[in-house]
Amino acid sequence: PHFNKAYCAATGIEAGMQTYCGGELRLGAEFEQDKNYLIGLAPHGLWTMCYHLLWPQMLRRFGITCLVVGADILLKIPFFKRHFAAYGVLGSSRRDVSWALQQRFPFNVTVIVTGGIAEMFYGISREQIILRKR
């Protein structure tokens, strides 16, 4: 797994989310090193801003570096590929997700953002969370 701590610290927006947006992460769970976890984030939106509150806390409190399931196309466009790979994003294929769910500490938490591409473009006036479309 790849996670570039220096890059993520430099590009992270945790402080801005807390001060400008009043963002707050209420993380009541305790994560153990010998277990694997799947976290679902919502809403998706064009950019999943809440992830910028989650990853620093996971790293500071538990020493865990999350793996994030993302659209495969993000990892094919040169600039996006480097950016998202630095944040631990991997493709959404069955193979990639299965692999992520089996990783040992410190990569034992996999994050998936529900709603996907369909939900990205709804905007504020049409907020919806799509959990299952089929």
Side-chain angles (χ1 to χ4, degrees):
H2 181 74
F3 185 85
N4 187 322
K5 290 179 187 174
Y7 177 82
C8 292
T11 61
I13 57 172
E14 179 187 28
M17 291 289 297
Q18 292 168 335
T19 56
Y20 183 76
C21 302
E24 176 186 4
L25 178 68
R26 296 179 185 179
L27 190 61
E30 293 296 323
F31 293 88
E32 300 174 24
Q33 294 182 3
D34 60 342
K35 292 184 179 179
N36 287 75
Y37 300 90
L38 177 65
I39 296 176
L41 296 180
H44 191 295
L46 188 58
W47 186 272
T48 310
M49 303 306 280
C50 58
Y51 183 64
H52 288 279
L53 293 172
L54 177 65
W55 76 261
Q57 288 292 324
M58 294 298 287
L59 196 56
R60 281 193 297 266
R61 286 180 59 188
F62 307 106
I64 292 174
T65 301
C66 300
L67 298 174
V68 183
V69 175
D72 293 320
I73 190 67
L74 295 175
L75 302 173
K76 301 205 183 313
I77 301 169
F79 172 78
F80 291 132
K81 178 180 181 176
R82 285 182 182 231
H83 174 76
F84 288 108
Y87 274 93
V89 174
L90 53 113
S92 58
S93 71
R94 172 182 237 149
R95 182 175 155 240
D96 287 343
V97 174
S98 295
W99 175 84
L101 292 171
Q102 296 175 25
Q103 296 308 297
R104 297 188 188 278
F105 177 83
F107 304 103
N108 56 324
V109 173
T110 303
V111 175
I112 188 165
V113 184
T114 61
I117 293 173
E119 194 179 278
M120 284 177 65
F121 302 102
Y122 284 148
I124 296 171
S125 65
R126 201 174 153 208
E127 178 106 15
Q128 293 183 21
I129 299 173
I130 300 171
L131 297 177
R132 186 173 188 157
K133 197 171 184 175
R134 298 176 220 144

